[in-house]
Amino acid sequence: MKQTKSAVRFFVLLILLGGLHGAWEDRLEYILRMPLTPRRLEMLWNYNRPALIMTAVMAILAVATVISFFQMIRDFSKPAAKRNKSSIPAPEVKVRGAALKHPDEAEEAIHCAHLTGRQKYLEQIDGYLRTGLIDRSEYRVLKERYMKIDIPDDYH
């Protein structure tokens, strides 16, 4: 609903701006041909008041159109879940094959599925070996080192 309102507002302002620009194009060109100094504004106010007022109206419409455009973009870029929270159920998030028990768990910065501190490092070097970052000899050296050092079970 909000998307539709912002889109309609933008297109109405765009049509108004385009229509006014066509009708006042010559006067607008006359006013904007030279810099707008205070002296020139005073002269235009005294001798060509309708053109100056119309230029101010067009400037306000142009600013409103730009603001409306960005509001429309913002409304269309919102995810559907945020637009209609009640109509869409929260998806079940899976981490390493196990479903999370609570949706807030998905927002944790670190989710550890390993049992001990040493297991974390062993899983890591297993991944390096699978992807080819290290070869078998480096894997064996690292595994021996990790098996020798004392890593607490709750180390993250």
Side-chain angles (χ1 to χ4, degrees):
M1 184 73 171
K2 194 173 184 179
Q3 291 175 333
T4 308
K5 285 182 182 179
S6 62
V8 167
R9 184 182 328 119
F10 170 71
F11 287 114
V12 166
L13 286 170
L14 194 62
I15 290 168
L16 276 174
L17 189 63
L20 289 176
H21 182 266
W24 291 88
E25 186 174 2
D26 294 336
R27 292 183 183 166
L28 184 64
E29 187 177 318
Y30 169 74
I31 289 174
L32 299 177
R33 185 177 337 163
M34 295 187 301
L36 291 176
T37 61
R39 173 78 176 131
R40 185 145 191 272
L41 285 173
E42 182 183 353
M43 184 188 73
L44 287 170
W45 183 255
N46 291 330
Y47 297 107
N48 202 353
R49 195 171 289 172
L52 188 63
I53 292 172
M54 197 54 164
T55 303
V57 168
M58 288 181 65
I60 291 169
L61 279 175
V63 169
T65 303
V66 169
I67 291 170
S68 178
F69 174 74
F70 286 116
Q71 285 176 342
M72 181 182 69
I73 294 298
R74 185 194 65 212
D75 290 343
F76 276 98
S77 66
K78 285 182 182 175
K82 286 192 176 186
R83 281 184 256 144
N84 301 327
K85 283 186 177 179
S86 60
S87 64
I88 300 174
E92 188 174 312
V93 181
K94 292 191 175 190
V95 176
R96 293 191 186 186
L100 296 176
K101 294 177 181 158
H102 195 273
D104 293 339
E105 289 181 26
E107 295 184 20
E108 291 180 7
I110 299 173
H111 178 75
C112 299
H114 54 272
L115 302 174
T116 65
R118 181 174 290 127
Q119 186 180 1
K120 172 186 173 184
Y121 291 102
L122 295 176
E123 285 178 13
Q124 191 176 40
I125 62 172
D126 286 342
Y128 291 163
L129 181 64
R130 270 192 308 261
T131 58
L133 291 174
I134 59 174
D135 61 5
R136 288 243 176 240
S137 61
E138 290 174 303
Y139 174 80
R140 281 188 219 109
V141 170
L142 288 172
K143 188 172 181 178
E144 285 176 21
R145 282 186 192 166
Y146 290 148
M147 296 308 276
K148 288 179 184 176
I149 59 175
D150 184 33
I151 303 172
D153 288 344
D154 61 346
Y155 183 76
H156 292 278

